[in-house]
């Protein structure tokens, strides 16, 4: 939005400049020149608008060249279909069979393999089942009188399309068969209302199915063989990247607050790192859609068929819980301008240490998911994180014993510390979710001399987690 | 998900029961009975699955009967199209003109008027422009030799479809013209690859456009005239309902914590109210899509054309910021089991008061949006909220003066109080966003004896808001 506005402002300015210099000309040469200038400005404005749009498009392509490749792939698939049909010229026209192949390619070709498979399979199955059903009802109707026939067919279309449309509101149906239902209604209506005789219909159905099959095959071949984009891999990358961003933004956030006394000074500098948690907050919709599409994909790369994609959504939900806390922490920090250095100093080291330990845990989890290996160090790191929580609590106890520090002065620091402890508790939940993922997706055991480390010993994760929760409770109860 | 699991468990159990009782039978009558039983169980299982599905569907229909009506409307539109074309029988078959009318109705008819308008207009404009372009290129190509003609047409299809596909990745294009681009590629490819002569093409294009126009008209007439569902109105309702839920969950959350000492006792009881903020956290995707569709809708009810739907997204972003804080507050409360009653008692009244005042402000805003009238009471309520913040700070000062309360004991209460103050600051931002909405959407002035109340006097909202922020700063600085 900001860049759009900038472009518009730039536009205004550049158009205004010739406007200013043109005043003299105008007085000399009258209305014809004025008209020419008006046209000139219009062309200039259009040129600027177009160049702004092209710059935006160029940036999108440069950031992710796969998007450009996708465009070329669609063009290629269409060219292949047309070559296929040019061998027997299309002089039966737009209404002919080839139309369905072109239509299939245009409608089914999606950015990810999962998307194309979802649409292709939905289209094929829906066409087949709706066609069969429509031919059946046609056959039934053809046994009765002509008026009755029309009534039977009309009411069949009415009731089936109503029911099918309604079924799209059922979440499980919506997620897996939304496109299929559209095609079902379409095919059923077309066949039922066509007015063909039943034997003609069989011929038509056969031809239409063949064409759709050819369209879907060309589409899937191009999609899978040329630089395939797998929804599963994208989801995998998105989750690990978001986890790293979360870790970074936590550290930057605490660091800025405690070490430099407010971040108003160089807000822009490490703004990108600081705002990383926002990616986690905003990526739910794309994660859900990628997870749904990934389920349609065959085994690819390191991912088997029936890989537990759903678990990624759980990991990301746990990450989002962390991000909510960081968001609150961030605003606590932003609203603070002058920090009471005496108290800050007392606990700043332990706070920074805790944030670093949380961040190390998150980064270890990210690299464990990335490499698809169980981590040998995670138990150790979680232990360190819980030690840091203990240290923070100890720091508070000593603050209390010092007695010289009044309650009111320590309020902001207390809030930040409380939130940090809550974040460590939530990081523990991310650990749990990733461990579930590791066991569901059969991650390789860790490269470790002590193999028992890869399975949590009785006194490790769960007890450490409960220790962390106890610590949190202690902080809130005492 | 839970109900699905329940059904599956119920299924297992009921199937198991006849299995147990069948053991005797089996021994007497051998394998034929066994096969019969196997079939019986299969039918029973299928019956249970279907009945579970039907119950789910029934619940969806009962919760929002508009969804059932939508199904019937789609059936009706299809019936109308078929009646329209039965007057001159469809014996030119599936490939004939009527096909495009049926296809248009099936593909364009959406739940909301905005959705149908978006798709209908996109389809019409894309068909028109792609058709014109394709005929033009066809005409150019027809001037050259046959081989060159094929190459020109093929490369035009390749480059245009690649470029159009890529343009879908540009966010502004994606939001407004995604469907149109699909139809553009489809129409262009069909016409360019058809092999018709140019004069034939004009005739074809005219027929196809007429049919699509008839399809779109029937579709829009049914959609708008029979129980229309307006995306804008849905968005309006969603925002006000979410605001009320936010207000309720804040009050319930604080109430449970301070008055009853933890909410583990009757967690289920007012669970629904407590979890209201989650609706706010999870509704971003549907709000964005409703806001995009609402822009296509004409004036309806109390909403003018070009109503500022984008501002609703800003209001909802401000609400989500509040919800993040409530989420953190809620988890602070949940992880606490035994409350230190002495301290709680000291500040519980002011905390409850502050949460009530925040909630009153949110409810007033919700009713202001609902009635589309500026609120006369909002300045007063914001003032009260800020007074409550002051009272909370005073309570802390007196806690400090008492000196008998050590820091460590008051930690959880301090965190809750800090979060409450942060929530009041964020509520102020919701007030700002709603005031922007009120001025953009030209809400009616408040029903008030003193008309100057509807416009904030110099010393009111902005200064009160800054007072609130000052109070927050004071809390964190002192």
């Amino acid at each position: 939005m900001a860049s759009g506005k900038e472009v518009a402002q730039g536009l205004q300015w550049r158009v205004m400049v010739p406007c200013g210099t043109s005043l003299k000309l105008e007085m000399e040469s009258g209305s014809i020149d004025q008209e020419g200038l008006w046209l000139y400005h219009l062309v200039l404005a259009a040129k600027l608008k177009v160049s702004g749009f092209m710059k935006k498009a160029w940036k999108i392509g440069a950031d992710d060249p796969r998007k450009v490749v996708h465009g070329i792939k669609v063009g290629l698939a269409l060219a292949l279909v047309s070559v296929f049909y040019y061998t027997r010229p299309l002089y039966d026209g737009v209404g002919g069979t080839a139309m369905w192949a072109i239509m299939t390619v245009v409608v089914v070709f999606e950015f990810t393999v999962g998307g194309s498979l979802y649409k292709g399979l939905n289209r094929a199955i829906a066409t087949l089942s709706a066609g069969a059903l429509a031919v059946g009802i046609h056959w039934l109707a053809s046994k009765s009188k002509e008026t009755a026939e029309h009534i039977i067919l009309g009411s069949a279309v009415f009731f089936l399309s109503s029911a099918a449309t309604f079924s799209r509101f059922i979440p499980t149906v919506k997620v897996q068969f939304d496109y299929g239902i559209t095609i079902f209604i379409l095919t059923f209506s077309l066949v039922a209302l066509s007015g063909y005789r039943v034997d003609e219909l069989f011929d038509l159905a056969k031809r239409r199915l063949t064409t759709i099959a050819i369209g879907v095959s060309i589409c899937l071949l191009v999609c899978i063989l040329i630089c395939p984009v797998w929804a599963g891999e994208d989801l995998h990358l998105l989750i690990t990247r978001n986890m790293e961003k979360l870790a970074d933004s936590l550290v930057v956030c605490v660091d800025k607050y405690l070490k430099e006394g407010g971040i108003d000074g160089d807000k822009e500098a490490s703004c990108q790192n600081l705002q990383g948690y926002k990616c986690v907050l905003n990526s739910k919709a794309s994660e859900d859609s990628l997870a749904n599409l990934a389920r349609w994909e065959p085994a690819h790369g390191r991912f088997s068929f029936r890989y537990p994609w759903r678990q990624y959504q759980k990991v990301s939900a746990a990450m989002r819980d962390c991000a909510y806390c960081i968001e609150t922490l961030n605003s606590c920090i932003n609203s603070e301008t002058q920090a009471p250095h005496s108290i800050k100093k007392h606990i700043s080291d332990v706070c920074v240490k805790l944030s670093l330990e949380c961040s190390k845990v998150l980064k270890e989890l990210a690299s464990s998911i990335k490499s698809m290996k169980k981590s040998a160090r995670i138990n150790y790191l979680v232990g360190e994180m819980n030690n840091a929580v203990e240290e923070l609590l100890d720091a508070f106890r000593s603050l209390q014993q010092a007695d010289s520090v009044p309650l009111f002065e320590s309020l902001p620091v207390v809030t930040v510390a409380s939130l940090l402890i809550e974040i460590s508790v939530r990081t523990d939940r991310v650990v749990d979710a990733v461990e579930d993922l590791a066991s569901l997706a059969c991650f390789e055991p860790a490269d470790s001399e002590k193999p028992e480390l890869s399975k949590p010993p009785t006194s490790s994760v769960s007890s450490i987690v409960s220790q962390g929760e106890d610590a949190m409770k202690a902080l809130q109860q005492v």
Side-chain angles (χ1 to χ4, degrees), chain A:
Chain A
M1 290 299 270
S3 83
K5 213 172 176 180
E6 214 173 283
V7 167
Q9 278 171 352
L11 187 86
Q12 189 99 19
W13 177 76
R14 292 197 214 172
V15 172
M16 289 309 281
V17 168
C19 232
T21 57
S22 72
L23 274 171
K24 238 180 174 178
L25 268 167
E26 204 182 310
M27 280 184 281
E28 289 167 335
S29 53
S31 70
I32 299 170
D33 270 3
Q34 201 176 2
E35 226 167 69
L37 271 168
W38 180 82
L39 200 72
Y40 170 73
H41 294 159
L42 199 77
V43 170
L44 201 73
K47 204 179 132 189
L48 280 166
K49 197 140 201 169
V50 168
S51 84
F53 185 81
M54 292 306 283
K55 265 184 205 158
K56 211 192 270 178
W58 181 266
K59 200 182 166 303
I60 288 169
D63 284 352
D64 189 355
R66 300 182 306 170
K67 291 177 178 170
V68 182
V69 174
H70 174 63
I72 297 170
K73 278 159 73 180
V74 171
L76 188 70
L78 276 176
L80 280 178
V81 170
S82 63
V83 165
F84 193 88
Y85 277 92
Y86 262 123
T87 55
R88 38 175 186 148
L90 297 180
Y91 285 94
D92 49 344
V94 178
T97 327
M99 188 188 83
W100 293 105
I102 294 172
M103 202 179 264
T104 303
V105 169
V106 173
V107 177
V108 165
F109 211 119
E110 289 281 318
F111 184 53
T112 61
V113 176
S116 300
L117 277 168
Y118 154 72
K119 282 201 160 177
L121 291 177
N122 262 276
R123 190 178 179 91
I125 294 167
T127 308
L128 205 64
S129 55
L133 196 62
V135 170
I137 287 179
H138 231 294
W139 178 80
L140 269 179
S142 67
K143 300 282 170 200
S144 47
K145 279 181 207 160
E146 205 187 339
T147 333
E149 191 181 338
H150 286 182
I151 291 170
I152 290 172
L153 285 173
S155 46
V157 167
F158 177 79
F159 285 111
L160 258 168
S161 59
S162 298
T165 303
F166 176 71
S167 78
R168 297 170 76 170
F169 290 112
I170 300 166
T172 44
V173 176
K174 170 98 190 161
V175 166
Q176 289 193 60
F177 305 110
D178 193 53
Y179 180 66
I181 287 172
T182 307
I183 298 299
F184 182 90
I185 302 174
L186 181 61
T187 309
F188 184 82
S189 308
L190 285 182
V191 175
L193 300 176
S194 69
Y196 277 106
R197 289 196 318 276
V198 173
D199 51 338
E200 285 175 325
L201 273 177
F202 273 112
D203 188 46
L204 184 84
K206 211 178 68 188
R207 266 195 298 151
R208 204 191 144 179
L209 272 175
T210 325
T211 333
I212 286 184
I214 290 168
V216 170
S217 316
I218 289 180
C219 182
L220 288 180
L221 281 176
V222 173
C223 190
I224 295 178
L225 294 182
I226 304 173
C227 312
V229 176
W230 301 96
E233 209 170 308
D234 266 22
L235 179 63
H236 186 82
L237 271 176
L238 183 67
I239 295 281
T240 52
R241 255 183 232 153
N242 275 352
M243 208 175 267
E244 282 164 1
K245 278 181 189 168
L246 201 64
D248 285 336
S249 66
L250 176 60
V251 172
V252 173
C253 188
V254 174
D255 220 44
K256 284 269 163 191
Y257 172 61
L258 291 169
K259 289 213 168 149
E260 295 166 35
I263 57 158
D264 292 74
D266 51 356
K267 219 172 192 171
E268 304 293 314
S270 58
C271 194
Q272 214 183 348
N273 269 338
L274 191 59
Q275 305 287 312
Y277 67 90
K278 286 196 179 161
C279 293
V280 181
L281 291 179
N282 292 331
S283 58
K284 185 173 189 295
S286 51
E287 281 162 10
D288 287 351
S289 110
L290 284 175
N292 284 331
L293 296 180
R295 293 163 66 204
W296 291 87
E297 288 175 353
H300 60 278
R302 302 169 295 169
F303 310 107
S304 59
F305 185 60
R306 295 192 161 275
Y307 188 82
W309 298 114
R310 289 259 166 269
Q311 187 61 28
Y312 278 84
Q313 289 174 289
K314 286 181 190 159
V315 172
S316 122
M319 276 160 59
R320 239 186 327 276
D321 278 351
C322 260
Y324 295 148
C325 249
I326 297 181
E327 207 270 346
T328 313
L329 184 67
N330 196 31
S331 75
C332 282
I333 286 166
N334 275 329
S335 63
E336 205 265 352
T337 44
Q338 292 166 327
H341 275 286
S342 61
I343 304 171
K344 261 193 181 177
K345 217 182 165 189
H346 187 83
I347 61 151
S348 74
D349 286 344
V350 272
C351 275
V352 169
K353 194 183 167 196
L354 178 52
S355 75
L356 275 175
E357 294 299 338
C358 282
S359 140
K360 273 187 203 161
V361 169
L362 288 173
K363 286 205 169 163
E364 180 67 21
L365 291 176
S367 83
S368 157
I369 298 180
K370 219 184 239 170
S371 62
M372 298 182 76
K373 275 182 187 166
K374 282 175 184 162
S375 162
R377 288 173 61 223
I378 192 72
N379 295 344
Y380 168 74
L381 288 174
V382 170
E384 287 291 300
M385 181 175 78
N386 288 305
N387 289 343
V389 170
E390 278 302 326
E391 278 177 45
L392 183 56
L393 290 174
D394 284 343
F396 268 104
R397 280 189 203 106
S398 70
L399 202 68
Q400 179 187 14
Q401 278 151 12
D403 232 1
S404 64
V405 189
L407 171 66
F408 207 69
E409 273 193 29
S410 53
L411 282 184
V413 171
V414 166
T415 309
V416 168
S418 268
L419 287 173
L420 274 175
I421 293 173
E422 178 66 23
I423 288 170
S424 79
V425 171
R426 293 183 180 198
T427 305
D428 269 333
R429 285 189 214 133
V430 180
V431 174
D432 291 347
V434 173
E435 271 176 6
D436 287 349
L437 174 67
S439 68
L440 283 171
C442 308
F443 279 10
E444 286 173 43
D447 302 327
S448 155
E449 294 84 52
K450 300 168 198 159
E452 76 272 14
L453 265 182
S454 63
K455 269 189 187 173
T458 20
S459 70
S460 92
V461 179
S462 53
S463 65
I464 289 171
V465 168
S466 68
Q467 267 172 36
E469 275 165 359
D470 287 348
M472 182 67 193
K473 276 179 195 163
L475 177 63
Q476 300 203 318
Q477 282 167 26
V478 189

